[in-house]
């Protein structure tokens, strides 16, 4: 992986000299993406009507497996519980690139009146993973149609549980990696996208560094001793102690971390007590920490532990801090890969619609693939105000402008091809 990376840094831009291996055949990819447009839209609508929660993507996984088999790909299923890995071996020798889509929906009751609205009560594709899956199936079809000239191997990762596995279960990108999705054949770079209302259809957002934040979910429990509310000195009141902890946590992010580093700490839930005149016996607080830097991330977590323990001790009680799962690392694009392959490919597909974006504080589990290979992640704009498609991800009214789907197919196919073409030179 490091060798491949060094090669990418050193190589001049593909357009700067005649390439030994062909760059992506843009016109053919474009024509193929247009040809299958209706089919990609149909898949997206079918998935939208049948959303499945994280680690429960049974129907979706089977649909994906069937389509990939129809295209003549090697298929592994299930991987990471309900995931699917498709392998497309090109007719020319070369490297190995992976493209990734997530497949899961959210526990949200859909509030749109789309003809293909969710048929599952309380479950909705409100993050656009239906579009991701449809785009990647379309990409597989486009690349399979050009297989004879494809200079290498494309691994298609259809991943479950991006939104987080149910409590007590493993899942998502981390489990895909653990189960060897990038190992055989050994993947040299991974590309992925996310749709959203952050930008209009026709636009793509990119970065050659941080693009999404890390996210860590925490729970703090403050022990108290319940007594009559008239005699708090007889017990231990955890409510003011919890309040002090909340304030002290904010002092970590505002006073103890370098001000140039993006970071957010939110306590989103506090629960404690039963009645107005009884001192609570315990307070539980849940929250999230986000950063764009792995070092800042671990620094904040260590300082939180010290603060929670110290404040509780000062009041003669104990408090525990627990991070509820492994958390997501920050999504930080590999600079060399972004500049040599990612950004030039997007600029060919989107033209002036490819724009640099500021890093966001939302998070993704995609960076787990970075344990195995450098990656490039970008945003695909799907908002269309004229059509009334303007809701944000994770809202009950979320929808995507389907005109973005062929653009997503073209972008993913071009990224894969360009990587392999450069790699093969
Ligand atoms: Zn989401
Ligand atoms: Zn998402």
């Amino acid at each position: 992986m490091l060798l491949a990376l060094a090669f990418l840094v050193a190589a001049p831009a593909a357009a700067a000299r005649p390439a030994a291996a062909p760059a992506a055949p843009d016109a053919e990819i474009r024509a193929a993406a247009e040809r299958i447009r209706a089919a990609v839209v149909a898949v997206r609508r079918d998935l939208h009507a049948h959303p499945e929660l994280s680690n429960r993507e049974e129907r979706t996984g089977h649909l994906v497996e069937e389509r990939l088999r129809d295209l003549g790909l090697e298929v592994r299923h299930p991987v990471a519980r309900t995931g699917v890995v498709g392998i497309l071996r090109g007719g020319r020798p070369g490297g190995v690139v992976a493209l990734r889509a997530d497949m899961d929906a959210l526990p949200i009751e859909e509030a749109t009146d789309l003809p293909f609205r969710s048929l599952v009560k309380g479950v909705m594709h409100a993050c656009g993973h239906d579009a991701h899956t449809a785009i990647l199936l379309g990409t597989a079809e486009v690349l399979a149609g050009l297989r004879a000239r494809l200079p290498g191997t494309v691994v298609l990762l259809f991943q479950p549980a991006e939104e987080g596995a149910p409590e007590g279960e493993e899942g998502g990108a981390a489990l895909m990696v653990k189960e060897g999705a990038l190992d055989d054949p050994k993947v040299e770079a991974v590309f992925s996208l996310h749709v959203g209302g952050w930008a209009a259809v026709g636009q793509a957002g990119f970065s050659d560094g941080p693009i999404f934040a890390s996210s860590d979910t925490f729970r703090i429990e403050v022990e108290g001793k319940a007594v009559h509310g008239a005699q708090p000195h007889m017990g231990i009141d955890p409510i003011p102690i919890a309040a002090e902890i909340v304030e002290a946590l904010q002092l970590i992010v505002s006073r103890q971390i370098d001000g140039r580093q993006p970071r957010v700490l939110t306590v989103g839930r506090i629960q404690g007590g039963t009645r107005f005149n009884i001192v609570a016996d315990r307070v539980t607080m849940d929250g999230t920490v986000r950063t764009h830097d792995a070092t800042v991330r671990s620094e904040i977590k260590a300082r939180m532990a010290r603060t929670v323990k110290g404040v509780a001790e000062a009041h003669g009680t104990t408090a525990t801090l627990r991070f509820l799962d492994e958390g997501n690392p920050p999504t930080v694009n590999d600079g060399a890969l972004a500049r040599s392959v990612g950004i030039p490919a997007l600029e060919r597909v989107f033209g002036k619609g490819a724009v640099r974006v500021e890093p966001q504080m939302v998070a993704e589990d995609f960076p787990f693939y970075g344990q195995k290979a450098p990656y490039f992640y970008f945003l695909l704009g799907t908002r269309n105000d004229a059509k009334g498609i303007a809701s944000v991800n994770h809202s009950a009214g979320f929808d995507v402008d389907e005109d973005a789907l062929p653009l997503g197919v073209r972008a993913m196919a071009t990224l894969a091809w360009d990587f392999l073409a450069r790699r093969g030179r």
Side-chain angles (χ1 to χ4, degrees):
M1 172 188 112
L2 287 175
L3 281 178
L5 210 54
F7 171 82
L8 287 170
V9 177
R17 63 172 184 174
D26 292 350
E28 287 170 81
I29 287 175
R30 181 184 190 140
E34 283 306 324
R35 230 174 9 249
I36 63 166
R37 180 190 195 103
V40 172
V41 167
V43 169
R44 184 257 161 169
R45 292 183 177 192
D46 177 65
L47 295 175
H48 193 88
H50 301 94
E52 295 173 301
L53 291 173
S54 305
N55 273 356
R56 303 291 182 269
E57 304 90 338
E58 301 288 344
R59 180 184 181 278
T60 310
H62 283 106
L63 182 148
V64 168
E65 174 182 354
E66 197 176 305
R67 304 253 162 181
L68 295 179
R69 287 202 192 284
D70 287 349
L71 294 171
L73 271 61
E74 292 165 44
V75 180
R76 274 184 233 146
H77 178 226
V79 177
R81 284 175 173 264
T82 59
V84 188
V85 176
I87 300 169
L88 174 64
R89 296 188 197 274
R92 299 163 60 108
V96 182
V97 65
L99 304 175
R100 171 267 205 174
D102 40 14
M103 306 191 292
D104 52 330
L106 285 160
I108 292 175
E109 176 73 18
E110 181 158 354
T112 74
D113 50 12
L114 296 168
F116 50 90
R117 70 191 300 279
S118 172
L119 298 172
V120 185
K121 193 160 177 46
V123 183
M124 177 192 178
H125 267 296
C127 203
H129 300 183
D130 49 345
H132 298 171
T133 303
I135 285 170
L136 195 55
L137 283 172
T139 307
E141 187 167 350
V142 167
L143 291 174
L146 298 165
R147 177 184 322 201
R149 276 180 289 151
L150 183 68
T153 298
V154 180
V155 175
L156 300 134
L157 306 168
F158 292 89
Q159 175 210 306
E162 189 283 321
E163 301 288 359
E167 213 169 319
E169 291 180 20
E170 285 185 277
L175 192 57
M176 293 284 284
V177 170
K178 195 168 154 187
E179 294 196 1
L182 302 188
D183 295 341
D184 181 25
K186 194 170 162 19
V187 167
E188 297 163 325
V190 191
F191 294 92
S192 189
L193 60 77
H194 207 300
V195 299
W198 64 274
V201 61
Q203 284 193 312
F206 62 78
S207 159
D208 59 0
I211 185 156
F212 279 2
S214 61
S215 72
D216 290 287
T217 309
F218 64 83
R219 175 163 296 166
I220 295 167
E221 286 178 304
V222 186
E223 295 302 322
K225 185 175 170 218
V227 289
H228 196 292
Q231 300 165 312
H233 66 286
M234 307 285 286
I236 297 172
D237 187 351
I239 285 181
I241 301 170
E244 206 171 309
I245 288 174
V246 172
E247 290 202 314
L249 292 176
Q250 292 308 323
L251 293 183
I252 295 175
V253 290
S254 70
R255 301 286 91 179
Q256 297 180 22
I257 300 295
D258 187 330
R260 294 166 296 184
Q261 292 286 350
R263 69 277 185 204
V264 166
L265 188 156
T266 294
V267 174
R269 189 181 79 95
I270 300 187
Q271 196 169 20
T274 52
R275 198 168 193 278
F276 74 96
N277 62 352
I278 301 175
V279 166
D281 63 348
R282 161 183 296 218
V283 170
T284 306
M285 304 188 277
D286 293 342
T288 180
V289 191
R290 281 141 195 263
T291 72
H292 285 144
D293 181 273
T295 309
V296 174
R297 180 187 181 204
S298 53
E299 210 174 299
I300 291 180
K301 287 168 81 171
R303 284 165 189 269
M304 286 176 72
R306 185 181 73 177
T307 298
V308 168
K309 185 167 178 282
V311 172
E313 254 172 34
H315 296 287
T317 187
T318 58
T320 56
L321 166 71
R322 217 155 37 93
F323 289 92
L324 296 186
D325 51 33
E326 201 177 347
N328 292 319
T331 304
V332 183
N333 281 332
D334 182 273
L337 183 67
R339 289 186 291 273
S340 64
V341 176
I343 298 168
L346 293 185
E347 285 177 341
R348 292 217 309 286
V349 173
F350 295 90
K352 287 187 168 50
V355 294
R356 186 173 292 275
V357 289
E358 293 297 317
Q360 313 285 308
M361 296 315 286
V362 294
E364 244 283 6
D365 76 354
F366 179 66
F368 281 106
Y369 296 109
Q371 294 171 357
K372 295 280 182 175
Y375 62 77
F376 178 75
Y377 181 89
F378 71 98
L379 306 175
L380 179 67
T382 53
R383 199 184 71 228
N384 190 327
D385 295 329
K387 293 183 187 171
I389 300 172
S391 295
V392 295
N393 300 55
H394 288 217
S395 72
F398 183 71
D399 188 17
V400 302
D401 184 345
E402 291 168 335
D403 285 346
L405 300 181
L407 288 167
V409 169
R410 283 171 60 195
M412 291 296 258
T414 306
L415 287 164
W417 199 297
D418 280 9
F419 176 81
L420 294 175
R422 287 184 66 83
R423 165 70 175 68
R425 269 214 319 256

